[in-house]
Amino acid sequence: MELPKKYKPNESEPKLQKFWEENKIFAFNSEDTDREIYSIDTPPPTVSGKMHLGHAFSNSQQDFIARYKRMKGFNVLQPFGTDDNGLPTKLLIEKLKKIRAVDMNRDEFRKLCLDTINNELKPSYTNDWKRLGISCDFNVNYSTIDSHSRKISQKSFIDLYKKGREYRQEAPAMFCPKCRTAISQVECEDADIKSHFNDIIFKCEDQDLIIATTRPELLPACVAIFYHPNDEKYKKLKGKKAKVPLFDFEVPILEDIRADPEKGTGLVMCCTFGDQTDMEWQKAHKLPIKEAFGSDGKMTEIAGKYKGMKILDARKEIIKDMKESKLLLKQEDIVHSVNVHERCGTSVEYINSKQWFIKYLDLKEDLRKWGQEFKWHPSFMKNRYDNWVEGLAWDWCISRQIEFGIPFPVWYCKKCDEVILANEKDLPVDPEIDKCPVTECPECGCREFIPETDVINTWATSSLTPTLVKELFKGKPVYEKLVNSPMDLRPQAHDIITFWLFNTVVKSKLQFNIIPWKNAMISGWMLDPKGKKMSKSKGNVIELQMLVDKYGADALRYMAASCTLGEDLAFPEKDVVTGQKTVTKLWNASKFVIMNLGDKKPEQIAFNKLTNIDKWLMIKLNKIIKNTTIHFENYHYFKAKHEVDNFFWNTFCDYYLEIVKDRFFNPDNYSKEEIASANWTLYKTLFDIHKLFSPIMPFITEEIYQLYFKNFEDEKSIAFCNWPAEEKIEHENLESSGDLAVKMISAARKYKSENQMSLKEELAKVTISCTNKEKELIAVVEKDIKATAKITNILFKGGDFEIKF
Ligand SMILES: [Zn+2]
Ligand SMILES: [Zn+2]
């Protein structure tokens, strides 16, 4: 039997992908209640044209585990969902269809999005996944905007409301004046911006009080002035009032320990709401709430002549006027850290508005505990979760004032504002279209209702992915099993631990009281070759398709398997090249072995009947199987890959194949048993190498399985072959014997190359100094050493180990 001369990934990979698809090799069996399930909470990407290299990197890592578990006999559930209810989808559809969401009703726009995604975008996008050999069951499918997801998301809202975990409150909420929507803490980030410290003058009777502020535009919302109770300078001001410059109204001067005597002049103004402390002061001292600007980001009525100006314009204008009125004492340039919206970089403001919140600030202790209830891979990533919990300052604001998304299943009584929830059987609903389920307000009897027009924040739906997947199997035999246990794995990148991972834990625990998964595997980022984040605007994006065309998918996956979990990595093209070489090496080594094994499956030989050097290889193989299995069990696919790679390149190709050659080239020098031993050792080892490599390089290993091993084995695909099992084998010192053989063969090669000799040239005599023990060890493999290194005579003498030619 012979393999074709060359392996061409570009021809074989698409052909194999088709074979897998047509034969439903990766289908999850929803009827099978016997086999253990291994379920993966696949990150749903936003369908936006092409898969980028970063996703290819992390998706491959997820797939290594899926393929390993399949070979371990699990009924693997690796679904494929997409996240299409956020802003990126809205913008994409508006651009593609040349329309604006505001001009359409929500339901029409949703339908258009779903149609476009499912019929135009998803098929080609899904192909990128398939082309990489990602073994998802693509028929287990959801989109976060489809009616299945809308129903589950709205049901989750209703459940949490009934559990008392949701409230709607008129309260200061973080708001992006540019995007004009409420946002949550997780959507903010710190940014250093240039600004000014302005020393401005408040009048108190005849006295000038100096207050330093970066935000003079908040003056119309000033409600008090504070100093620290221990600050002697200001004690005499207690109970007096100060006049706000330019706006000429009076505010009380009050004591509070939160005023820092070391900062500025020690006097500070409280405006509702400049920051978190302002909010605390307002509550503690029962101060009025004044709003200097509204949700449109423009100054309000109370700003007088500045009304209608944008925040920053008003700031400039107020400074100018204060300079003219000599109320500005001095201005100092500063750079300070402010909270900005991560999407647009605009400074976050606090605006009093009615928003929906999920209540969890009271649960910090539980949140911390929940983070310990599943395993983190790598474990240090848990710190990010803990730090996030530590720094939580707000309940989770889940309402957004944008047109596209999942509506709240809520109406309000026009008269008394009572919350009316949709009936669960009617879900999903759109309160703007559907009728309120009651005709009369249970509180006041009013018969008019106002639909909620806000939508549910996209993370509040994507944090339900385990439920979105499980509910797809309602009515199937596996349903009970799925619903009552956590999923096995959440693979995701580290940058969304505080978004997706944290929120999923919160939702799962609050709604179902189970942890969402048993394991979280956190991948790093793929950066450009210089270590910079890849982005379209920087023009440093490396095209996935180009790499697949150039090297093949296996080579890319090999690269992804070379990287440690959780670490960011500058794109290592050299690892892809090594991957390509490994594919070629695997083909050539297999070709050699297969050619020599002939058309029959070699007869299985018991371990104790093998020749000594064959036993040595089996011992090594057994170790690799053991270690690789442990590594995969611990999600250390990179360690597993390293072991197999090393075994294949060094032990198998560099040494064993060289050693075994003599039995094929000079069969007259060997007994029938010695040749049978070589045949079985080669078959078993080569097959196991393919199996061990197949989670990482599924294409080349499947190709060789289909061309060769399948003739003798029962499984339709290598994906169904049993993962090699560690064997109990008894051996004394054979491993050391083989290692000494390798040492001698390697020394002979070095000697010959240093002396410009051909490797085939015979060495008449080699002297080895060694102990008696070592002499015995060498003796049992002497024949193989002599045949491989072409040595006629080996002489032994006592002493420290040394080889002399
Ligand atoms: Zn924004
Ligand atoms: Zn009412």
Side-chain angles (χ1 to χ4, degrees), residues 163-371:
K163 284 175 196 267
R165 278 281 150 206
E166 275 163 340
Y167 62 94
R168 184 178 182 233
Q169 195 181 57
E170 174 146 359
M174 286 186 236
F175 203 89
C176 173
K178 187 169 180 205
C179 301
R180 294 191 186 182
T181 179
I183 57 174
S184 59
Q185 190 179 348
V186 74
E187 289 160 276
C188 303
E189 59 189 20
D190 286 338
D192 285 336
I193 59 159
K194 281 186 192 161
S195 181
H196 305 286
F197 239 137
N198 305 288
D199 281 358
I200 58 180
I201 299 168
F202 280 64
K203 295 272 186 201
C204 175
E205 294 162 2
D206 297 336
Q207 216 184 330
D208 282 355
L209 303 178
I210 318 296
I211 289 178
T213 177
T214 54
R215 305 209 52 188
E217 73 278 13
L218 289 177
L219 282 171
C222 182
V223 288
I225 285 174
F226 286 101
Y227 63 91
H228 193 277
N230 297 344
D231 198 337
E232 296 297 333
K233 297 195 289 289
Y234 299 121
K235 280 214 154 152
K236 56 183 187 298
L237 296 177
K238 191 172 178 176
K240 294 190 174 171
K241 291 195 171 203
K243 195 174 259 180
V244 178
L246 291 184
F247 295 89
D248 279 347
F249 60 87
E250 289 192 320
V251 294
I253 304 173
L254 306 168
E255 283 183 353
D256 194 289
I257 49 162
R258 279 163 282 211
D260 181 358
E262 305 296 323
K263 201 172 163 190
T265 56
L267 280 178
V268 58
M269 65 180 193
C270 165
C271 305
T272 51
F273 294 102
D275 61 21
Q276 192 89 31
T277 321
D278 289 331
M279 278 173 245
E280 290 172 22
W281 275 328
Q282 186 271 326
K283 260 194 194 155
H285 297 269
K286 298 198 172 59
L287 297 166
I289 293 178
K290 289 173 137 195
E291 286 181 296
F293 44 82
S295 56
D296 55 359
K298 290 183 179 158
M299 302 302 286
T300 60
E301 203 77 36
I302 65 164
K305 66 179 267 209
Y306 310 101
K307 181 190 162 192
M309 284 185 191
K310 286 189 189 155
I311 298 171
L312 290 181
D313 295 339
R315 185 183 300 174
K316 272 187 215 149
E317 210 52 33
I318 288 174
I319 294 277
K320 198 180 118 216
D321 291 347
M322 276 201 286
K323 268 184 193 158
E324 276 169 17
S325 327
K326 304 216 169 356
L327 290 164
L328 180 74
L329 211 58
K330 100 177 174 214
Q331 201 175 37
E332 205 183 311
D333 290 341
I334 56 158
V335 173
H336 68 152
S337 177
V338 297
N339 229 353
V340 299
H341 185 201
E342 51 103 24
R343 190 177 287 284
C344 67
T346 307
S347 292
V348 170
E349 300 292 352
Y350 301 91
I351 288 185
N352 218 30
S353 56
K354 267 196 172 166
Q355 305 288 350
W356 278 101
F357 294 86
I358 290 181
K359 182 172 149 191
Y360 58 37
L361 271 188
D362 58 325
L363 298 176
K364 275 199 178 191
E365 256 326 295
D366 297 284
L367 291 170
R368 237 175 253 125
K369 267 190 234 145
W370 298 344

Side-chain angles (χ1 to χ4, degrees), residues 413-418 441 443-446:
C413 167
K414 194 174 178 182
K415 210 165 138 199
C416 74
D417 213 25
E418 174 73 5
C441 170
E443 284 300 306
C444 73
C446 167

Side-chain angles (χ1 to χ4, degrees), residues 55 122 528 673 697 711 718 781:
H55 280 148
K122 220 164 180 169
D528 83 352
E673 287 74 23
M697 300 195 290
N711 296 314
I718 195 166
V781 289

Side-chain angles (χ1 to χ4, degrees), residues 672-685:
K672 244 170 67 191
E673 287 74 23
E674 283 173 320
I675 292 182
S677 169
N679 286 343
W680 172 247
T681 306
L682 276 174
Y683 185 90
K684 151 100 175 134
T685 311

Side-chain angles (χ1 to χ4, degrees), residues 17 20-21 26 40-52 55-56 58-60 62-63 67 78-82 122-138 491 544-545 553 557 699:
Q17 173 205 319
W20 290 332
E21 216 176 329
F26 309 129
I40 302 177
D41 187 14
T42 316
T46 298
V47 176
S48 56
K50 296 254 154 227
M51 188 201 282
H52 67 73
H55 280 148
S58 49
N59 295 337
S60 298
Q62 159 190 333
D63 195 52
R67 284 181 177 268
Q78 188 176 208
F80 179 77
T82 51
K122 220 164 180 169
S124 90
Y125 186 79
T126 314
N127 264 336
D128 288 348
W129 284 64
K130 293 177 180 169
R131 184 63 191 82
L132 265 183
I134 308 294
S135 63
C136 286
D137 183 342
F138 290 94
L544 178 65
Q545 194 56 46
R557 293 174 62 113
F699 291 103

Side-chain angles (χ1 to χ4, degrees), residues 592-593 595-598 656-657 659-668 670 675-676 678-680 682:
F592 172 79
V593 172
M595 191 178 72
N596 284 297
L597 289 181
Y656 184 75
L657 285 186
I659 293 168
V660 85
K661 262 180 191 168
D662 199 55
R663 275 183 267 180
F664 294 117
F665 297 168
N666 300 302
D668 297 345
Y670 295 90
I675 292 182
N679 286 343
W680 172 247
L682 276 174

